[in-house]
Amino acid sequence: MNDKTLAILKPDCLERNLTGIAIDFILNKGFKIKAMKMLHMSKADAERFYAVHKGKPFYDELLEYMSSGPCIPMVLEKENAVEAFREAIGTTDPRKAAENTLRRLYAKNMQRNTVHGSDSEENAQKEIAFFFPLKEIMLY
Ligand code: CMP
């Protein structure tokens, strides 16, 4: 079932009070929020979540940033959710992101790029399970 993805409103989104705008944007694109919580990732949490990026030049800074403040992970549902959400947020580098994507509109730079979206169906399942036990994913 290719209908769910994991989104995170990142620390810079909350820091800049863009939470409402980001959620509104997501709902207006037709995604249904099936789960949502606010938490502060520890460095160890970030290390586990971003294990796939270990060894990359931006990895240490990424851990610092993602553990620098609270974030809001959410499970989003829509047909072809992974692809649809990646299209809605734009590329990792906000300067290269398409017009009217969330990152193009609001992100500061490659690292502080406001929002995360799973990059594949396989990762979406892993990332959803990282933050949400099944009972926290609503069925409405
Ligand atoms: P995200 O979609 O959460 O996936 C990995 C994150 O690493 C990415 O968003 C950025 O926050 C960060 N990232 C990826 N590439 C770079 C880069 N070249 N420089 C700095 N940060 C990066």
Side-chain angles (χ1 to χ4, degrees):
M1 274 240 296
N2 191 16
D3 65 349
K4 287 191 181 61
T5 193
L6 190 276
I8 308 177
L9 304 186
K10 293 185 173 186
D12 74 278
C13 182
L14 277 69
E15 225 171 77
R16 293 185 291 138
N17 259 337
L18 294 170
T19 306
I21 287 172
I23 291 174
D24 207 40
F25 181 97
I26 289 166
L27 293 174
N28 279 326
K29 291 281 177 192
F31 293 90
K32 202 167 173 182
I33 299 174
K34 304 301 289 274
M36 173 159 77
K37 61 174 84 168
M38 188 184 291
L39 54 87
H40 192 142
M41 286 174 100
S42 65
K43 249 187 162 173
D45 292 333
E47 213 172 317
R48 279 182 58 206
F49 185 79
Y50 281 117
V52 54
H53 293 299
K54 196 170 177 148
K56 295 191 182 159
F58 57 83
Y59 182 67
D60 288 344
E61 272 180 28
L62 177 62
L63 300 189
E64 283 293 334
Y65 163 56
M66 289 303 290
S67 59
S68 70
C71 66
I72 300 181
M74 46 177 98
V75 177
L76 303 179
E77 187 178 84
K78 189 181 177 174
E79 205 180 322
N80 282 321
V82 169
E83 211 181 307
F85 192 62
R86 285 171 69 74
E87 198 180 316
I89 64 180
T91 52
T92 307
D93 184 349
R95 290 167 305 182
K96 294 182 184 148
E99 295 282 335
N100 295 316
T101 56
L102 200 44
R103 284 172 171 161
R104 176 67 178 265
L105 289 168
Y106 302 110
K108 283 285 173 211
N109 53 48
M110 277 281 245
Q111 185 189 76
R112 299 170 73 80
N113 61 0
T114 310
V115 65
H116 167 81
S118 306
D119 64 2
S120 68
E121 176 63 19
E122 192 191 341
N123 284 339
Q125 286 178 19
K126 284 188 197 155
E127 291 178 3
I128 288 170
F130 182 89
F131 287 110
F132 298 99
L134 206 52
K135 68 176 180 157
E136 290 182 16
I137 301 171
M138 303 299 127
L139 289 174
Y140 76 106

